Amino acid sequence: MMRATLTRKSQKAEARRRSSKIWSDLETLREERRQSKAAPTTKRERVLEQLRARSLAVCESSKFMTFMTVLTLYALFGDDAKLCLADSTADDAFVVAAVVCIVCFFVEIVLQCFAYAWYFRGFYFWVDLASTLSILTEIPAVMAEVAILVGGSGGESAEMLKAGKVVEQCPFSRLVRPSRRAVSAAVACA
């Protein structure tokens, strides 16, 4: 029994020693990797490294993330809000807001391409690019040009695009109507 206890203690001590050796070897390897990475030597490399560091700082800042989150919410619900709450005189303001969103999202894409090596041509790059380009459908001048390109003349094809917009809005109106009824029923019961 005494011998078994000694062997267990010695086995645990040997395991601790091996574990600490592995960790120290790992730290040594990490330090060698840090030292082996050569510091940027040319002016171009130094500028790119500074640009990467600054763009990473911007992308990771909470103010930038909050601003981009607000713009994302506008991009998701702005067109629906325009149709529900505003009349046609406010269209110019919404077009300006859509252009501002497009510019800001393109700036974000460029910053993330510099900040993260994995981002460019990755899945999120293509998703962000497609969603940014989809905001172009909210600009009437762009849609008129697309209608001319697709249909030849602006007449029928523009009407078909408007019909598509109406069909696009139908699911939203189906969601709004039941909620209005539920609110009305709740108010009537109270």
Side-chain angles (χ1 to χ4, degrees):
M1 179 87 171
M2 180 91 146
R3 188 173 180 171
T5 307
L6 287 175
T7 56
R8 282 189 203 140
K9 286 182 180 178
S10 62
Q11 286 174 347
K12 287 181 181 179
E14 179 65 23
R16 274 191 233 114
R17 187 185 63 75
R18 270 189 266 147
S19 174
S20 65
K21 181 166 178 13
I22 290 172
W23 282 108
S24 66
D25 289 345
L26 183 62
E27 286 300 318
T28 311
L29 181 64
R30 286 181 180 160
E31 187 61 34
E32 287 174 3
R33 283 186 186 162
R34 278 188 220 119
Q35 291 174 357
S36 70
K37 288 183 179 178
T41 56
T42 65
K43 184 177 180 178
R44 179 177 181 260
E45 289 175 349
R46 285 192 301 264
V47 168
L48 284 176
E49 186 62 30
Q50 287 176 350
L51 183 63
R52 182 192 143 331
R54 288 181 182 171
S55 61
L56 182 63
V58 169
C59 288
E60 294 292 324
S61 74
S62 61
K63 291 178 183 176
F64 182 76
M65 286 183 186
T66 303
F67 178 69
M68 294 311 293
T69 301
V70 169
L71 281 182
T72 301
L73 290 173
Y74 171 78
L76 289 172
F77 303 113
D79 198 34
D80 294 331
K82 175 182 79 169
L83 292 173
C84 291
L85 304 173
D87 57 357
S88 62
T89 60
D91 282 349
D92 292 338
F94 283 96
V95 169
V96 169
V99 171
V100 167
C101 282
I102 291 169
V103 169
C104 289
F105 286 139
F106 271 123
V107 167
E108 180 190 26
I109 289 171
V110 170
L111 285 174
Q112 287 187 2
C113 285
F114 281 115
Y116 307 110
W118 53 265
Y119 182 77
F120 184 62
R121 292 188 185 171
F123 174 75
Y124 292 110
F125 171 79
W126 295 112
V127 168
D128 287 346
L129 187 65
S131 61
T132 301
L133 292 176
S134 72
I135 299 173
L136 289 172
T137 61
E138 296 178 14
I139 301 173
V142 173
M143 291 307 290
E145 291 297 321
V146 170
I148 290 171
L149 288 174
V150 171
S153 68
E156 277 183 30
S157 55
E159 289 175 13
M160 292 188 70
L161 284 173
K162 287 179 187 174
K165 280 286 195 182
V166 169
V167 170
E168 181 183 80
Q169 298 305 320
C170 285
F172 180 73
S173 64
R174 288 183 191 146
L175 289 173
V176 171
R177 284 187 195 135
S179 64
R180 285 184 183 164
R181 289 183 191 140
V183 169
S184 299
V187 169
C189 291

